[in-house]
């Protein structure tokens, strides 16, 4: 008898576990979200499309309450409702109302504006309202992307070392200005082309070649042959390698992301930020090199040794980057 009872107890426990599992799966199936898609065809004219999970009964289907200055028009279907707003909806609230109660489902909202701007949001079961985000203000966008550009160039050690080598090779202020201008124009072209999707190159290969460009300049400084093209016309080398560095900037910008509605503004001010950071660094580097040349005017041997060992250190570091990036292919 005890053995029979034990078997019954095991069987009952198994059935309860199976029922619990089925119940959990059904509940998981029922937890599919309530999807709200709002599209603005022209300013003030919208269409709301909704998808309600099949598990929600018809008597508890949710409705979207619009702000007071928006009115529903004649519905195309039960789940496609056009509406119009007499004011801008930026900052307005949309409310999700269930006749009885929310059956523990989340809500996904997608708002596509007539200017191409897209907003996405996910609301939990306890969230019943959503505030429409404000349109992106250009001056805030310009400020943010300018700061991002400055930050990127000032923390990009590989770009800074390349610029430092260029400044050292260029020497005088006039040659520095011409050289850095060539570098700026070149990397601005490829940055724009890559960011706009006109040209696409593999990022790991570009990063490896950027390291190789630093090795090339370090070698020029070590050999110190003033009759080479690099020493005579550094602007040509700066422009050539600048095209590659522009792809490097574009890779960083791709990670940051560009707002599609204000893409030209964001791209322009990111590039301006890069130039401002670059100008700041070049001025400091040029001033430091000029000061060192003045201090060591009568100490040519020490000047040569300092250039040699500094260039070797830069070359070793760039070589490490090169092989590390090659290994990451």
């Amino acid at each position: 008898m005890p053995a029979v009872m034990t078997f019954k107890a095991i069987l009952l426990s198994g059935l309860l576990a199976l029922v619990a599992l089925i119940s959990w799966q059904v509940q998981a199936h029922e937890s599919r979200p309530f999807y709200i898609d709002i599209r603005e065809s022209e300013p003030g004219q919208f269409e709301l499309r909704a998808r309600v999970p099949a598990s929600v009964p018809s008597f508890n289907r949710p409705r979207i309450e619009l702000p007071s200055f928006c009115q529903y028009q004649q519905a195309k279907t039960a789940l496609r409702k056009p509406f119009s707003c007499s004011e801008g909806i930026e900052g307005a609230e949309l409310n999700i109302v269930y006749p009885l109660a929310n059956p523990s489902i989340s809500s996904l909202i997608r708002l596509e504006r007539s200017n191409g701007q897209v907003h996405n949001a996910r609301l939990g079961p306890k969230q019943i309202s959503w505030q429409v985000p404000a349109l992106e203000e250009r001056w805030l966008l310009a400020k943010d992307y300018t700061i991002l550009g400055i930050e990127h160039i000032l923390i990009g050690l590989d770009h800074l070392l390349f610029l430092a080598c260029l400044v050292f090779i260029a020497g005088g202020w006039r040659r520095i200005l011409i050289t850095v201008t060539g570098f700026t124009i070149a990397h601005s072209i490829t940055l724009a082309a890559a960011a706009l999707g006109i040209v696409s190159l593999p990022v790991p290969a570009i990063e490896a070649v950027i390291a190789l460009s630093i090795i090339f300049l370090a070698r020029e400084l070590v050999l110190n042959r003033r009759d080479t093209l690099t020493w005579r016309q550094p602007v040509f080398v700066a422009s050539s390698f600048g095209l590659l560095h522009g792809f490097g900037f574009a890779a960083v910008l791709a990670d940051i992301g560009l707002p599609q509605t204000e893409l030209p503004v964001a791209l322009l001010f990111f590039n301006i930020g890069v130039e401002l950071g670059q100008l700041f660094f070049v001025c400091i580097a040029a001033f430091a090199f000029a000061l060192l040349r003045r201090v060591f005017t009568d100490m040519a041997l020490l000047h040569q040794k300092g250039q040699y060992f500094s260039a070797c250190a830069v070359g070793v570091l760039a070589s490490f980057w090169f092989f590390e990036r090659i290994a990451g292919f």
Side-chain angles (χ1 to χ4, degrees):
M1 186 69 176
V4 174
M5 290 297 294
T6 302
F7 174 76
K8 287 183 178 180
I10 294 173
L11 180 60
L12 181 60
S13 298
L15 288 173
L16 288 174
L18 181 61
V19 169
L21 178 61
I22 294 173
S23 175
W24 177 82
Q25 287 181 334
V26 169
Q27 189 170 6
H29 179 69
E30 290 177 348
S31 66
R32 289 176 300 176
F34 172 37
Y35 184 72
I36 304 163
D37 183 14
I38 303 173
R39 302 182 185 183
E40 185 181 31
S41 57
E42 58 183 82
Q45 300 297 320
F46 301 86
E47 182 177 80
L48 185 149
R49 304 180 185 185
R51 288 205 303 269
V52 183
S55 59
V56 179
S58 58
F59 57 81
N60 193 35
R61 295 212 163 186
R63 69 178 188 275
I64 308 299
E65 286 189 349
L66 304 174
S68 59
F69 53 84
C70 296
Q71 298 294 328
Y72 282 115
Q73 299 167 0
Q74 184 176 1
K76 296 180 178 178
T77 67
L79 298 179
R80 291 184 62 182
K81 299 180 179 181
F83 65 91
S84 60
C85 297
S86 58
E87 302 176 16
I89 65 169
E90 296 80 23
E93 283 193 354
L94 302 179
N95 295 303
I96 303 172
V97 180
Y98 285 85
L100 298 179
N102 184 344
S104 296
I105 63 173
S106 300
S107 301
L108 296 179
I109 302 176
R110 183 180 186 274
L111 170 61
E112 182 177 334
R113 304 300 301 269
S114 58
N115 62 359
Q117 193 172 18
V118 177
H119 300 286
N120 294 280
R122 180 186 179 277
L123 307 182
K126 295 183 179 180
Q127 294 175 281
I128 61 171
S129 64
W130 178 61
Q131 188 173 41
V132 179
L135 291 172
E136 294 168 335
E137 297 185 29
R138 289 192 175 186
W139 74 271
L140 289 175
L141 193 72
K143 182 195 73 172
D144 291 341
Y145 275 83
T146 300
I147 293 172
L148 286 170
I150 293 172
E151 289 177 348
H152 170 63
I153 191 66
L154 293 182
I155 64 174
L157 186 56
D158 50 356
H159 298 296
L160 294 182
L161 285 180
F162 182 83
L163 283 170
C165 291
L166 280 179
V167 169
F168 199 98
I169 290 173
W173 286 100
R174 182 175 178 275
R175 278 164 56 92
I176 289 174
L177 177 62
I178 294 173
T179 301
V180 173
T181 300
F183 178 72
T184 297
I185 293 172
H187 77 62
S188 297
I189 292 171
T190 48
L191 168 59
L196 296 174
I198 299 172
V199 181
S200 178
L201 292 176
V203 175
I206 291 298
E207 294 293 336
V209 177
I210 288 174
L212 198 60
S213 70
I214 303 170
I215 296 172
F216 174 82
L217 291 184
R219 177 182 177 275
E220 290 290 321
L221 287 169
V222 168
L223 296 178
N224 200 26
R225 295 174 182 169
R226 305 290 175 124
D227 59 341
T228 63
L229 179 64
T230 302
W231 284 93
R232 288 186 289 106
Q233 298 292 337
V235 65
F236 293 131
V237 175
S239 301
S240 300
F241 284 122
L243 295 172
L244 295 169
H245 283 249
F247 286 111
F249 294 140
V252 173
L253 190 54
D255 292 335
I256 296 171
L258 280 170
Q260 296 304 304
T261 56
E262 298 290 351
L263 192 149
V265 175
L267 178 58
L268 172 63
F269 281 93
F270 179 81
N271 198 42
I272 288 175
V274 169
E275 304 318 322
L276 290 175
Q278 179 178 284
L279 181 63
F280 174 74
F281 175 77
V282 166
C283 289
I284 291 178
F287 178 78
F289 290 151
L291 183 62
L292 289 173
R293 285 191 179 99
R294 183 178 295 273
V295 171
F296 296 118
T297 300
D298 299 327
M299 304 174 68
L301 181 61
L302 182 60
H303 179 272
Q304 291 177 4
K305 291 295 183 182
Q307 174 182 321
Y308 178 84
F309 287 113
S310 298
C312 285
V314 170
V316 169
L317 179 59
S319 298
F320 170 76
W321 286 335
F322 175 71
F323 288 111
E324 181 185 45
R325 293 168 183 181
I326 286 289
F329 279 9

